[in-house]
């Protein structure tokens, strides 16, 4: 290279550096009338605790682990109730009574405090009718196609007229068969148990997928699929004259025999009405009938996930002690939860099981907590009912039954739900008689129609915006719009403007991966929290609060939902990117404690030329009088320098940071994740081993801390935003 060429290259490099570092602007609208929200940190910025390995409970809920967790700054805790996702009945108290004196049936935990509860467990439901859902993974099986006539699916008794006070036709029970591909069908055989359906229809789906795309098709009754005089036993029905290609078949039941199931005691004095209402099926068969009258079944009957998949609209929570399948994982016992100090002495959001439980068990739990004088902020009713294929009117019917019992204990309890799964668009279900498909809209309508909207004290949902296997850097640009859009959707569905809106569980994705440890996750977290509060959110809970082992994640990468890596004994090894960003949010951006913060809109003019904001900003006025900006540079490669201007439309002159300004920076110079090395095993060495295993551990280097500096503010002060960083800038305002 000649000297002239080298000089030109150096000049060009200097010019490009100058362009990339040219100052741009963040405008903050501090007009008092334009404030978008107000919040108190120790009521608003929290974290969630779920069912975890029992070993993690023993190691995490002690010092010094808790102190390291507390260093992230999260405040109130949401107790996540995982047993509903796995279609289990929750024994929140291992001690209690069974409805059947022989020691089985419907369980109610003891409301009388004795020794402290350290662990609690979920019990599998022997009348399960769903092969898989969004919580079970590929574990367990349905009794509808398990090949065993001695087992049966049974619907929830709490959705019958005896408990709802409404006609059973208003809460029809349904089971769905999924053949995975179109197959020729003209006949069905139903082996009923007790109680059986006396009135039902057999239908096929005309569209794509009635589980995942409920508005893209309709349920059409087979030509001979309407039954008005069902007699139970084994019924074989010729549904149509000729076989037709069908994938999904549904049996929709609207009238019951109300005959008692196999659990009804011989002694009539011990009769339990729950055993004698609803519907029960031992086994389903589907296929064709030949001219000789022979029925030919095409379903696969087996007690595992290879069975023909079925889905059901509800499950009877009847079970027995042998249905406790494992104690290796546990819900944290409520006494340990409150007594360990993890709640910081703040009121906690507590759950009650609702989808697969009884109102008596929920009432006993609340009574127990009150007798212990444990502070409760809110009570979340059930867990992810949308992921359990429950219709909104059915959830509403259960909600009102549970609410009546719980408010009978304490009318001041703040009840809410339904704890939707993390979705980015409205949840839609098969249209009702009026053509309405919004799940939330119909649930709210149900409460209004019964004059019980006041029983809903808050609306809750979860936020997992991304597919864990699909997270290119550019998806970071989507988060502010994703969270603000879904909140607007809920409001348009009918959530009242004054009803608090909580995200009770959240992180990048429902699937763990190494993305959680990368700087990507920290940048996302700042944008998410800032966007939620700017959009008017009332409470947000980071998930998962406690340190956990790496798990097999998306694209076969190891990942953790926690803020730390731990060793085999759950001892914390390293904090991860979300730990440091949590500190920025909770300890630098906001003023910790009980003071009220006001949120104001802020916007930068830094973009990528394609309409994506590379720099986002979130402004709060703190109770100590400081203005605080959390600035997110989502530019993966380039640093930016910005001026900050505060504009009040009631005044003519803009304001700027003045005097000493506190800045806290977390970017690539403070943190870099180095992934684990993995290896594919064509044939695993050990039974059940994953096909791809980590042969080295991932590590962060550098691994913090946050960089603090104290520049002098002013109109022309430039603030540095390193590439892929979160920067908190705070101070007092002046006009110079």
């Amino acid at each position: 290279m000649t000297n002239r060429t080298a000089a030109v290259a150096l000049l060009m490099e200097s010019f490009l550096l100058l362009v990339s570092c040219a100052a741009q602007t963040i405008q903050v609208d501090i007009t008092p009338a334009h404030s978008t929200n107000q919040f108190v940190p120790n009521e608003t910025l929290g974290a969630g605790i779920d069912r975890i390995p029992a070993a993690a409970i023993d190691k995490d809920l002690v010092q010094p682990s808790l102190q390291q967790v507390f260093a992230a700054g999260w405040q109130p805790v949401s107790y996540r109730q995982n047993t509903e996702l796995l279609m289990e009945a929750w024994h929140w108290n291992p001690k209690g009574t069974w409805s059947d004196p022989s020691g089985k049936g419907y369980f109610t935990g003891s409301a009388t405090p004795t020794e402290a509860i350290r662990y609690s467990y979920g019990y599998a439901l022997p009348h399960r009718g769903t092969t898989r859902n969004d919580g079970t993974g590929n574990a367990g099986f349905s009794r509808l196609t398990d090949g065993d006539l001695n087992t049966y699916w049974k619907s929830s008794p709490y959705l019958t007229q005896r408990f709802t006070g409404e006609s059973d036709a208003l809460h029809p029970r349904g089971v769905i068969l999924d053949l995975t591909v179109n197959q020729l069908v003209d006949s069905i055989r139903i082996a009923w148990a007790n109680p059986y359906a006396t009135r039902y229809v057999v239908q096929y789906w005309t569209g794509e997928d009635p589980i995942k795309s409920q508005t893209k098709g309709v349920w059409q009754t087979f030509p001979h699929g309407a039954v008005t005089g069902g007699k139970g036993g084994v019924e074989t029905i010729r549904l149509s004259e000729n076989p037709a290609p069908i994938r999904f078949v549904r049996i929709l039941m609207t009238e019951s025999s109300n005959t008692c199931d196999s659990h009804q005691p011989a002694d009539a004095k011990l009769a339990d009405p729950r055993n004698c209402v609803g519907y029960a099926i031992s086994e389903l068969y589907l296929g064709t009938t030949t001219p000789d009258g022979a029925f030919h079944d095409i379903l696969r009957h087996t007690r595992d996930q290879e069975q023909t998949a079925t889905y059901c609209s509800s499950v009877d929570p009847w079970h027995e002690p042998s249905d406790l399948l494992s104690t290796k994982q546990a819900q944290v016992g409520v006494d340990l939860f409150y007594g360990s100090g993890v709640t910081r002495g703040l009121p906690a959001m507590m759950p009650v099981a609702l989808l697969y439980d009884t109102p008596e068990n929920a009432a006993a739990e609340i009574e127990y907590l009150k007798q212990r004088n444990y502070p409760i902020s809110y009570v979340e009713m059930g867990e992810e009912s949308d992921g359990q294929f429950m219709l909104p009117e059915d959830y509403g019917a259960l909600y009102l039954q549970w609410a009546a019992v719980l408010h009978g204990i304490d009318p001041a309890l703040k009840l809410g739900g339904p704890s939707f799964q993390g979705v980015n668009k409205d949840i839609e279900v098969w249209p009702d008689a009026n053509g309405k498909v919004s799940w939330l809209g119909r649930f709210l309508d149900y409460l209004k129609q019964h004059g019980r909207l006041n029983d809903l004290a808050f609306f809750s949902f979860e936020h997992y915006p991304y597919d864990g296997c699909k997270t290119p850097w550019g998806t970071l640009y989507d988060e502010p719009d994703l969270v603000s859009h879904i909140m607007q959707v809920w409001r348009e569905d009918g959530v009242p403007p004054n009803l608090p809106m909580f995200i009770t569980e959240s992180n990048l994705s429902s699937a763990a991966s190494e993305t959680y440890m990368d700087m990507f996750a920290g940048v996302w977290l700042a944008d998410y929290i800032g966007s939620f509060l700017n959009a008017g959110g009332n409470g947000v809970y980071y998930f998962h609060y406690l340190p956990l082992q790496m798990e097999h994640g998306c694209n076969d990468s190891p990942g953790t939902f926690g803020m730390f890596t731990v060793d085999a004994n759950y001892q914390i090894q390293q904090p991860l990117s979300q730990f440091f960003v949590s500190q920025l949010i909770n300890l630098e951006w906001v003023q910790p404690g009980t003071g009220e913060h006001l949120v104001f809109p802020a916007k930068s003019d830094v973009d990528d030329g394609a309409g994506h904001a590379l720099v986002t900003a979130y402004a709060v006025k703190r109770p100590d009088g400081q203005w605080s900006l959390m600035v997110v540079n989502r530019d993966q490669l380039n640093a930016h320098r910005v001026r900050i201007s505060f504009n009040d439309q009631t005044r003519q002159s803009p304001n700027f940071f003045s005097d000493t300004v506190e800045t806290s920076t977390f970017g690539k110079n403070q943190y870099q994740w180095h992934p684990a090395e993995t290896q594919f095993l064509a044939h695993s060495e050990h039974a059940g081993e994953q096909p791809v295993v980590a042969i080295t551990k991932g590590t962060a280097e550098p691994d913090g801390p946050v960089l603090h500096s104290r520049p002098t503010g002013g109109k022309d002060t430039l603030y540095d935003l390193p590439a892929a960083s979160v920067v908190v800038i705070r101070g007092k305002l002046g006009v110079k």
Side-chain angles (χ1 to χ4, degrees):
M1 181 183 292
T2 66
N3 290 340
R4 178 180 175 83
T5 303
V8 170
L10 182 61
L11 183 63
M12 181 60 69
E13 182 179 342
S14 299
F15 173 75
L16 291 175
L17 181 62
L18 180 65
V19 170
S20 68
C21 294
Q24 291 164 294
T25 304
I26 294 174
Q27 300 280 352
V28 185
D29 182 355
I30 61 172
T31 308
H34 294 175
S35 175
T36 61
N37 199 3
Q38 59 190 39
F39 68 93
V40 173
N42 75 349
E43 297 175 1
T44 302
L45 298 171
I49 293 178
D50 205 358
R51 174 157 60 176
I52 56 177
I57 292 174
D58 294 338
K59 302 295 184 180
D60 285 350
L61 293 174
V62 294
Q63 298 295 358
S65 290
L66 277 180
Q67 204 58 42
Q68 292 173 275
V69 169
F70 292 162
W74 299 113
Q75 295 291 308
V77 177
S78 171
Y79 186 116
R80 313 310 300 150
Q81 203 274 103
N82 180 260
T83 59
E84 304 247 89
L85 302 188
L86 274 70
M87 291 183 284
E88 296 174 339
W90 184 30
H91 288 215
W92 61 269
N93 188 348
K95 294 184 180 297
T97 57
W98 297 88
S99 58
D100 189 322
S102 66
K104 56 186 177 182
Y106 302 96
F107 182 83
T108 301
S110 173
T112 303
T114 52
E115 66 266 26
I117 303 171
R118 187 172 184 84
Y119 314 105
S120 64
Y121 304 105
Y123 284 62
L125 300 180
H127 298 314
R128 171 174 164 175
T130 296
T131 299
R132 66 186 71 93
N133 63 12
D134 291 322
T136 62
N138 293 326
F141 58 93
S142 164
R143 275 52 175 183
L144 286 163
T145 54
D146 66 348
D148 186 351
L149 286 172
N150 294 313
T151 66
Y152 55 90
W153 160 77
K154 184 171 179 287
S155 65
S156 171
Y158 294 101
L159 291 171
T160 65
Q161 184 173 1
R162 182 179 183 93
F163 294 93
T164 65
E166 302 174 323
S167 167
D168 285 355
L170 295 178
H171 297 280
R173 302 294 84 220
V175 296
I176 297 173
L177 285 160
D178 179 3
L179 305 179
T180 69
V181 295
N182 283 344
Q183 298 194 49
L184 294 175
V185 169
D186 66 13
S187 302
I188 191 170
R189 177 172 290 170
I190 307 171
W192 293 100
N194 282 312
Y196 56 88
T198 59
R199 185 181 294 268
Y200 61 96
V201 293
V202 184
Q203 303 172 315
Y204 61 93
W205 181 251
T206 63
E208 300 174 9
D209 186 329
I211 303 298
K212 298 178 181 178
S213 302
Q214 297 194 358
T215 61
K216 296 180 179 179
V218 296
W219 287 109
Q220 183 70 45
T221 301
F222 282 96
H224 307 302
V227 177
T228 58
K231 303 298 184 185
V234 178
E235 292 184 319
T236 303
I237 305 166
R238 184 71 179 265
L239 299 169
S240 58
E241 299 300 330
N242 298 301
I246 302 291
R247 176 179 172 182
F248 294 97
V249 173
R250 177 173 78 165
I251 305 169
L252 193 66
M253 295 153 271
T254 55
E255 188 175 292
S256 172
S257 65
N258 294 321
T259 47
C260 298
D261 65 19
S262 63
H263 305 308
Q264 182 65 10
D267 186 348
K269 294 180 181 178
L270 301 176
D272 188 328
R274 292 171 289 190
N275 292 327
C276 308
V277 291
Y279 308 93
I281 298 174
S282 290
E283 198 78 8
L284 290 175
Y285 311 86
L286 189 70
T288 55
T289 300
T290 48
D292 61 0
F295 173 78
H296 303 277
D297 183 29
I298 60 173
L299 304 188
R300 181 169 173 80
H301 303 265
T302 181
R303 294 168 59 88
D304 58 34
Q305 286 285 309
E306 292 300 300
Q307 67 181 178
T308 295
T310 65
Y311 305 90
C312 67
S313 56
S314 70
V315 180
D316 183 5
W318 190 101
H319 59 288
E320 50 190 314
S322 60
D323 292 314
L324 175 58
L325 303 182
S326 173
T327 57
K328 291 182 178 179
Q329 285 206 333
Q331 299 275 167
V332 179
V334 294
D335 289 308
L336 179 61
F337 175 72
Y338 277 102
S340 66
V342 73
T343 66
R344 295 178 178 256
L346 297 171
M349 175 179 284
M350 296 300 294
V352 293
L354 176 144
L355 309 180
Y356 307 116
D357 216 309
T358 71
E360 293 81 9
N361 193 39
E365 176 197 344
I366 298 302
E367 185 63 40
Y368 184 98
L369 296 175
K370 292 182 74 63
Q371 289 195 46
R372 288 287 203 193
N373 293 316
Y374 294 146
I376 304 170
S377 56
Y378 303 94
V379 177
E380 197 167 33
M381 309 277 272
E383 179 76 4
E384 297 184 24
S385 52
D386 55 321
Q388 306 300 306
F389 317 120
M390 179 167 279
L391 289 175
E393 293 79 11
D394 295 342
Y395 176 76
L398 297 179
Y399 187 98
L400 292 186
Q401 291 176 59
W402 266 243
V405 172
L406 297 183
H407 277 154
I409 297 171
D410 182 357
L413 283 174
K414 296 177 181 179
L415 312 179
S419 184
F420 279 146
Q421 299 176 98
V423 296
N424 295 323
K425 61 182 181 180
D426 199 10
I427 296 170
E428 296 181 330
V429 291
W430 309 307
D432 63 9
N434 298 316
K436 193 165 186 175
V437 298
S438 169
W439 199 107
L440 179 56
R442 282 167 51 179
F443 166 60
L444 294 170
D445 286 348
Y446 188 88
L447 298 188
K448 293 174 186 175
Q449 289 161 8
H450 291 75
R452 300 277 299 277
L453 187 59
N454 287 340
D455 279 307
L456 185 70
F458 66 91
F459 166 70
S460 66
F461 64 105
E462 300 176 2
H463 188 63
Y464 291 102
Y466 301 140
D467 181 333
C469 296
K470 300 174 183 177
T471 50
W473 188 268
T475 57
L476 283 174
Y477 303 150
D478 300 333
E479 176 55 35
D481 289 336
L482 289 176
V483 70
S484 59
H485 168 72
I486 195 60
M487 292 170 69
Q488 181 61 33
V489 166
W490 304 141
R491 294 296 185 193
E492 291 172 356
D493 282 342
V495 174
N498 61 343
L499 192 74
M501 191 177 289
F502 299 148
I503 295 181
T504 51
E505 185 180 311
S506 59
N507 215 309
L508 276 172
S509 166
S510 58
S513 72
E514 290 224 48
T515 302
Y516 276 80
M517 284 78 79
D518 190 71
M519 190 63 201
F520 181 103
V523 172
W524 168 83
L525 180 61
D527 241 351
Y528 157 55
I529 298 295
S531 300
F532 174 72
L533 293 174
N534 191 54
N538 304 96
V540 60
Y541 294 86
Y542 170 86
F543 184 82
H544 194 289
Y545 198 22
L546 298 179
L548 295 173
Q549 301 279 359
M550 292 286 180
E551 57 188 79
H552 192 81
C554 214
N555 292 325
D556 287 321
S557 64
T560 177
F561 286 92
M563 297 180 287
F564 306 91
T565 59
V566 299
D567 63 19
N569 201 35
Y570 289 91
Q571 299 305 299
I572 292 174
Q573 295 177 308
Q574 280 192 302
L576 301 173
S577 68
Q578 289 192 339
F579 169 80
F580 293 107
V581 173
S582 296
Q583 289 188 317
L584 287 179
I585 294 168
N586 297 309
L587 306 179
E588 303 293 345
W589 182 49
V590 305
Q591 181 182 349
T594 61
E596 184 175 83
H597 290 58
L598 299 179
V599 183
F600 289 85
K603 187 176 182 180
S604 84
D605 56 10
V606 187
D607 67 37
D608 67 347
H612 301 123
L614 290 175
V615 172
T616 54
Y618 306 96
V620 296
K621 185 176 183 181
R622 298 167 26 135
D624 60 6
Q626 293 190 84
W627 285 86
S628 183
L629 263 67
M630 181 165 62
V631 184
V632 185
N633 182 8
R634 306 186 296 186
D635 193 329
Q636 187 175 191
L637 300 177
N638 302 300
H640 295 278
R641 307 187 80 190
V642 295
R643 291 185 175 89
I644 301 174
S645 176
F646 295 84
N647 303 292
D648 183 343
Q649 292 183 6
T650 65
R651 300 179 181 180
Q652 291 185 347
S653 300
N655 291 326
F656 307 92
F657 281 124
S658 65
D659 300 325
T660 300
V661 179
E662 302 282 347
T663 67
S664 304
T665 301
F666 184 67
K668 287 185 175 180
N669 288 337
Q670 287 73 48
Y671 183 89
Q672 289 186 38
W673 178 254
H674 304 278
E677 294 181 14
T678 57
Q679 179 178 351
F680 174 71
L681 303 176
H683 298 285
S684 299
E685 231 179 290
H686 308 290
E689 193 171 42
Q690 299 288 352
V692 173
V693 297
I695 55 176
T696 66
K697 289 187 175 182
T699 186
E701 179 60 43
D703 187 33
V706 169
L707 175 66
H708 298 282
S709 61
R710 304 185 72 195
T712 299
K715 177 180 178 180
D716 296 319
T717 301
L718 301 179
Y719 299 92
D720 291 318
L721 310 177
S725 67
V726 180
V727 181
V728 172
I729 307 167
R730 73 173 191 268
K732 298 291 182 70
L733 300 188
V735 294
K736 294 182 180 181

